[in-house]
Amino acid sequence: MWKYNAFWERIPFSVARTVLSIVLLIVLWGLLAWPWLSGQVTIPFDSKTYNLPTTAIALDQISDGTPPFWNPLLAGGAPLLSDPQALIYSPLYLALMGAGDYYTSNWLDIVQLLHVLVGGLGVFFYCRQQRLPMAAGVAAALIIMFGGMMASRMQHTSIIVAFSYTPWALLSLHFLLRERRMWWAIAAAICLSVLALHFVQVAFLFGLLLIIYVVSTVVTAPESEARWEKLKYALVAGLASILLVTTPTLLVLRHVSLSTRTHITFDMAATAHAIHPTTLLTLIAPNALGTLTSGNYIGIEDFTEQYLYSGVLVASIVLCALIFSIFQRHGRILFWIAVAMFSLFYALGKWTPFFKFFYDFIPGVALFRRPSDAGFLFLFSIAMVVAHFLGSIGVYCDALRSKKVYWIAVAIPLILTASIILLAVNDGQWGRFVDFVTIFYFLLFFIFASGIPILVRHHPIFVASNSFIVIVVLAIAVDLFAHNVNRSMNATNW
């Protein structure tokens, strides 16, 4: 007699498990996105004041059989094809908008949130190709879809849409470098081109990340012949994508003089649109700056740009992963932690000396005015850290057999939490951001970050099971729903 359970355990990456995980991901996306999907609220600010009318103009022209070359309603007339924010080169966005009533706010929200889902599915499939547990891929996808700046910056439609393509660009490059086939070079070129044609800083930063990813993969290839093959196909994809984006890029650059921001000075970028150091509190305490309470924001600059919360449990896992990767030299976790650190240094602008170096020596940085956009790269990197940690938790169990590692893993969250509280008590500037609610979240952070190594050490079988990861997924979903959904930074009733 066929034994279903035996068959299930023999095939860890079966079609059944994949489908079930995708269904779970879609259901969780639907639950978290429901306030917007149902029309109860709408995404405010730039999404409606700029993207909605611009898209309607372009689709009206297309439906009339006229090429969408000109926007007659912007400043007395402006070239639509040269507008980097018009999403005129975003094929899925235009197709979905044209399939419904593109004059309505709710349809734009639905299309934007469908892109959020597309990005989450891309992250899930990338995690699957990394041989990570299915539930770890769902956890990473949830963080990508509704964590940090993905939640707070929903108004910036072009950035959200561009961000949805980043995991697919990474996934296509992964297949290209592994399989070394021409059709994967074509797929990678298309994904890279579509990502680049959104003309936002998020696409630029991910382009830098993808270059580093290709170089590291080629350099670490075990054989010289394999290195040459990987490099050859990567160059083919890169050159093809450059050819595809050349004409639109020239059109955009040709009309830069018509922009209100023809030159981005260092002070303009590094000061006005960087995240403030106090924003780091929101990694653990979501409302430390009053971001979630309408009218009570006490931070600096735009409140939608000063928000990094993806869950107190997520922050705890990232800290545990950092400690684990240092002792175990886990290359992939260390890589994504390095990306996260680069992202933070970039996003902090003038508050560290690093952004000045980036501005002066990395070509292209001076074209953009908002260092805080690096928060999207930070979000992606911590999602990857969480996924890889959950996939390596069995090795973490082995590492914690060492009493030295165990006590360090338990003590560091205590030291970090105590330091933040003492800083708040003794420093008036920081003290005004740390109230009893914020301290409560830091205590939760301490409990989770210290509790994970304790749980791993004393219950290794349970922690290494899929049940534990599913519990983590559901906890992340509840946390994101409670703090990042239907808030003043991303939802309004008008």
Side-chain angles (χ1 to χ4, degrees), residues 36 41-56 85-87 93 97 102-113 115-116 150-161 302 304 370 489-492 494:
W36 296 282
V41 294
T42 189
I43 299 170
F45 312 129
D46 290 6
S47 173
K48 301 304 177 295
T49 59
Y50 181 79
N51 291 104
L52 183 62
T54 302
T55 302
Q85 302 295 318
L87 291 170
Y93 172 82
M97 283 298 293
Y102 52 80
Y103 281 101
T104 62
S105 297
N106 182 242
W107 183 245
L108 176 58
D109 291 348
I110 292 172
V111 169
Q112 185 170 323
L113 287 163
H115 279 83
V116 170
M150 196 65 169
S152 67
R153 300 275 298 277
M154 280 189 180
Q155 62 157 319
H156 295 134
T157 303
S158 56
I159 294 179
I160 301 298
V161 171
D302 186 346
T304 66
R370 192 183 282 120
M489 60 189 176
N490 56 30
T492 184
W494 62 268

Side-chain angles (χ1 to χ4, degrees), residues 470-489:
V470 170
I471 292 173
V472 170
V473 168
L474 296 178
I476 291 173
V478 171
D479 197 350
L480 292 173
F481 183 81
H483 297 102
N484 288 12
V485 170
N486 195 9
R487 294 290 182 171
S488 59
M489 60 189 176

